[in-house]
């Protein structure tokens, strides 16, 4: 046995905490845990009569055992026991024979180990064979003193299964669940799941030591993949950073660890550590010569270009627009000097993204980006540019058919190129566009299509591609659509799933937080519980200032604080005009018109409503168009023109019943009933009773929708009108019943000052 580093295993390149060499110069070394893995492989090879199901389970277990960090003996045996009880007894016997015997027993094990595989082709070509040959080579290179230390360590490992010498997982973190199964699909329903070997926190400070190069690479690759595709299954930010610090302690020049530290810091919005790690990543990449080996001198410049570009994207994420612009200009200059068209195209994509984030018009830049990306055959960037143009076009009122045709064209390219991430983004964007246009049925269909789509990527580590932003957007749309229909139990289930998939520390958690708060606010407003809605306004404002101001104005208006509500609406309209938020501008106009109803009269609200109607039709916003027409119809009714008001209501009633929320359906039918009541009062005597009965029938339909929402304020208005109509018809029992229900709701609800006379 040739002598190499004397402290190869027991003190890996460290003395008093000082790193003396690059630990990853050594590919792998022998540890007591790896001897246990070798014992498992030996027993699997020599034990011929084994149940097929047990062998399949063990075969699925081998790769994660080899690639993962070292485990304690207790954890290792527990994992093997889950797969095959007979095998765990054989492995335990083999290990304790070596530990309780003499040094020559361990030497004898390594001598007979190749014999079990000598006749197998797998020993030469498989991953198992490669692992065994590496272990044999590393063992044969040990000096006698190192072999003796390894034997003593094996004895301690067997006697103290809960304290591995180098790297082991705490027992409480070893959850043997199918969620962390890094192998293939389930073999059978009765088959036990392959355990999670690498999801837990790795080691305690007292026993923490270096991972081998393969273990470190596997750990980094796994965590990076999970951060991209299923952040919920990755290690928590603090524990992952702790483990990365340990890896960098033994090898500060490990560039990939710095980059994963950058990604991890972005999860918690830590600007200092993320910038520090990103700069160190490119410094190490350049100094190591990793780029230069494959690209010559060009590798050094390429790293610099993309380092500056990544720094620009970092500043964009944190809203540092001036620093991002300076970094982008620097990246463009370096890329132009090197004639790097691909880097220039990435810079252009981020340039128009930065202009959008600043609220500027970026249509020209985006169009140029799409043309150049198509010229240089960069389908990913070209598709992103087209989707950005579609988003801007939807906000600017482009016809829906042109936008959807553009998305359909990009979808064809996505399927041809198998760009599953862009397919998800396209479906989520189509869902949002249909929702904006007021087509709830189509929006629901697109969201379900996305949620039921199988991923085109090879899914490793049992990740199901379900924690991307597109999935979060689709689920939030579904939650809001179900809330509009009064299905709050379903909303609770969707929100529970969102909270599991996107914990509060993840980057997309703000989406469901805002969605949940908006739903709770609308529910409290519909119930007339304004004291419950007030805390939600503060929380919404923290996540989205525009939405928070609008909700605050709604609450103040409901509380009859018209002066304060009017000031907030004026302020909000100015902000939305600067940001060109047409949808919110229309909503502000409708809310302002409602304030005019209560203060200066119904006629003064007409200019605002007509302006809102023109904007909504120009931008193809059908739901807002219907709502504006209902406001116009109510205004006409109050001005004494019930015939025209009823015509407007009937024009939009079909659209509202097909795509509107329950509250919109109830309001439309209530308004139609009031128009019918007004017309019945002016009708001839022989037609009056028929018109009143028609109004009663319409009120009954409206009551169904309001009762599903448990909207007590609206039900109070319904019962009041029903009592009056039944009195006119002479239905004394029905009149008394409705009057009693009205009286009960009047006693239950606080007086808001708004009656059925002056409210839509």
């Amino acid at each position: 046995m040739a002598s190499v580093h004397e402290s190869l295993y027991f003190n890996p390149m460290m003395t008093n905490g000082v790193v003396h060499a690059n630990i990853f110069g050594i590919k792998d070394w022998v540890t007591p845990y790896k001897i246990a893995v070798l014992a498992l492989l030996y027993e699997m090879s020599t034990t011929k009569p084994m149940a097929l199901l047990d062998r399949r389970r063990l075969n699925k277990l081998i790769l994660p055992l080899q690639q993962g960090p070292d485990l304690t003996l207790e954890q290792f045996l527990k994992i093997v026991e889950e797969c095959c009880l007979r095998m765990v007894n054989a492995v335990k016997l083999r290990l304790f024979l070596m530990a309780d015997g003499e040094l020559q027993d361990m030497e004898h094990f390594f001598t007979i180990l190749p014999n079990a595989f000598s006749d197998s082709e797998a020993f030469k070509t498989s991953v198992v064979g490669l692992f065994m040959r590496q272990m044999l080579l590393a063992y044969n290179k040990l000096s006698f003193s190192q072999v003796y230390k390894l034997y003593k360590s094996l004895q301690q490992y067997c006697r103290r299964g809960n304290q591995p010498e180098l790297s082991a997982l705490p027992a409480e973190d070893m959850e043997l669940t199918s969620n962390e199964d890094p192998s293939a699909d389930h073999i059978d329903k009765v088959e036990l799941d392959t355990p999670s070997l690498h999801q837990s926190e790795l080691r305690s400070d007292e026993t923490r030591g270096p991972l081998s190069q393969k273990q470190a690479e596997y750990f980094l690759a796994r965590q990076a993949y999970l951060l991209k595709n299923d952040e919920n299954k990755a290690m928590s930010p603090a524990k992952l950073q702790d483990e990365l610090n340990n890896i960098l302690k033994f090898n500060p020049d490990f560039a990939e660890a710095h980059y994963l530290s950058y990604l991890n810091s972005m999860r918690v919005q830590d600007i200092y550590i993320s910038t520090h790690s990103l700069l160190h990543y490119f410094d190490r990449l350049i100094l190591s010569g990793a780029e230069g080996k494959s690209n010559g001198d060009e590798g050094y410049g390429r790293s610099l270009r993309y380092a500056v570009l990544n720094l620009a994207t970092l500043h964009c994420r944190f809203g540092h627009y001036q620093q991002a612009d300076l970094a982008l200009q620097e990246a463009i200059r370096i890329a132009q000097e090197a004639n790097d068209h691909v880097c220039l195209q990435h810079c252009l994509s981020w340039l128009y993204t930065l202009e959008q984030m600043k609220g500027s018009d970026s249509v020209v830049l985006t169009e140029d980006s799409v043309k150049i990306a198509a010229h240089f055959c960069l389908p990913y960037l070209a598709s992103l540019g087209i989707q950005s143009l579609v988003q801007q076009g939807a906000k600017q009122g482009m016809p829906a058919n042109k936008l959807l045709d553009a998305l359909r064209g990009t979808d064809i390219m996505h399927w041809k190129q198998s760009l599953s991430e862009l397919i998800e983004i396209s479906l989520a964007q189509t869902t949002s566009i249909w929702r904006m246009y007021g087509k709830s049925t189509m929006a629901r269909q697109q969201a379900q299509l996305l949620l039921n789509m199988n991923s085109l990527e090879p899914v490793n580590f049992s990740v199901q591609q379900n924690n991307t932003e597109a999935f979060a957007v689709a689920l939030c749309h579904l939650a809001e659509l179900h809330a509009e229909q009064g299905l709050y139990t379903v909303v609770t289930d969707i929100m529970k799933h969102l909270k599991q998939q996107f914990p509060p520390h993840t980057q997309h958690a703000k989406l469901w937080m805002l969605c949940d708060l908006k739903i709770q606010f609308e529910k409290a407003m519909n119930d007339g519980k304004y004291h419950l809605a007030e805390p939600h306004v503060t929380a919404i404002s923290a996540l989205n200032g525009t939405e928070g101001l609008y909700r605050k104005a709604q609450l103040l208006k409901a509380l009859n604080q018209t002066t304060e509500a009017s000031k907030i609406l004026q302020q909000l309209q100015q902000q939305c005009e600067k940001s060109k938020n047409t949808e919110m501008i229309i909503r502000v106009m409708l809310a302002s018109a409602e304030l005019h109803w209560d203060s200066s009269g119904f006629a003064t609200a007409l200019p605002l409503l007509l302006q809102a109607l023109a904007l909504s039709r120009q931008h193809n916003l059908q739901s807002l168009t219907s709502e504006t027409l209902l406001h116009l119809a109510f205004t006409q009714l109050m001005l004494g023109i019930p015939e025209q008001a009823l015509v407007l209501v009937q024009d939009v009633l079909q659209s509202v019943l097909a795509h509107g929320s329950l509250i919109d359906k109830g309001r439309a039918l209530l308004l139609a009933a009031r128009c019918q009541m007004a017309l019945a009062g002016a009708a001839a005597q022989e037609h009056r009773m028929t018109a009143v009965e028609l109004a009663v029938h319409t009120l009954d339909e409206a009551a169904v929708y309001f009762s599903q929402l448990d909207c007590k304020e609206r039900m109070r208005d319904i019962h009041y009108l029903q009592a009056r109509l039944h009195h006119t018809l002479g239905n004394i029992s029905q009149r008394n019943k409705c009057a009693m229900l009205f009286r009960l709701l009047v006693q239950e609800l606080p007086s808001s000052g708004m009656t059925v006379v002056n409210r839509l």
Side-chain angles (χ1 to χ4, degrees), residues 228 380 418-426 457 465 468 470:
K228 177 179 181 293
Y380 191 94
S418 296
L419 301 173
S420 62
E421 184 179 359
L422 292 181
I423 294 172
E424 296 168 5
I425 295 174
S426 178
E457 292 186 2
Q465 290 287 106
T468 58

Side-chain angles (χ1 to χ4, degrees), residues 302 305-310 312-313 316 324 327-329 331-332 335 340-354 365 368-370 372-373 376-382 384-385:
R302 184 174 184 273
R305 293 193 293 276
Y306 283 97
V308 179
L309 179 58
N310 275 270
T313 64
C316 279
L328 271 177
Q329 298 300 331
I332 291 173
D340 188 345
H341 298 290
V342 177
C343 184
L344 280 171
Q345 186 55 36
H346 281 282
C347 292
L348 183 55
S349 299
W350 273 103
L351 194 60
Y352 74 70
T353 302
L354 179 61
L365 279 175
D368 292 341
S369 174
V370 172
I372 299 173
F376 287 106
C377 299
L378 300 172
Y380 191 94
L381 294 178
L384 284 179

Side-chain angles (χ1 to χ4, degrees), residues 233-349:
K233 291 189 175 73
M235 293 174 67
S236 65
K239 291 171 182 174
L240 177 57
Q241 190 62 44
D242 192 33
E243 183 57 35
L244 290 173
N245 291 339
N246 181 65
I247 293 176
L248 292 171
K249 178 176 68 175
F250 291 99
N251 185 10
D253 296 329
F254 197 16
E256 289 77 5
H258 284 290
Y259 192 76
L260 186 59
S261 176
Y262 156 69
L263 295 179
N264 188 47
S265 302
M266 293 295 290
R267 298 165 68 189
V268 293
Q269 303 294 304
D270 190 328
I271 178 65
Y272 175 75
I273 296 181
S274 56
T275 306
H276 176 83
S277 300
L278 182 63
L279 295 177
H280 273 285
Y281 166 69
F282 284 101
D283 288 345
R284 268 43 180 199
L285 203 63
I286 293 169
L287 293 175
S288 66
E291 293 280 354
K293 291 178 182 178
S294 57
N295 299 320
D297 296 335
E298 176 62 18
Y300 178 83
R302 184 174 184 273
S303 293
L304 285 179
R305 293 193 293 276
Y306 283 97
V308 179
L309 179 58
N310 275 270
L311 188 61
T313 64
L314 176 66
H315 286 302
C316 279
R317 285 282 299 272
F318 286 101
H320 306 156
Y321 300 139
Q322 185 177 1
Q323 294 91 325
D325 188 57
L326 292 173
L328 271 177
Q329 298 300 331
E330 178 69 12
I332 291 173
R333 183 187 63 80
I334 300 175
Q336 286 175 336
E337 292 177 356
N339 200 26
D340 188 345
H341 298 290
V342 177
C343 184
L344 280 171
Q345 186 55 36
H346 281 282
C347 292
L348 183 55
S349 299

Side-chain angles (χ1 to χ4, degrees), residues 490-501:
V490 180
V491 173
T492 303
D493 293 338
I494 295 175
M495 283 299 162
K496 183 179 179 181
H497 177 71
L498 277 167
K499 291 174 184 178
Q500 291 175 348
Q501 290 299 126

Side-chain angles (χ1 to χ4, degrees), residues 565-582:
S566 179
K567 291 179 181 178
I568 291 176
L569 288 175
Q570 290 175 4
Q571 175 189 352
L572 182 57
Q573 185 165 359
Q574 292 175 358
Q575 292 181 5
C576 293
E577 286 173 352
K578 289 181 181 179
S579 60
K580 298 180 180 179
N581 189 345
T582 307

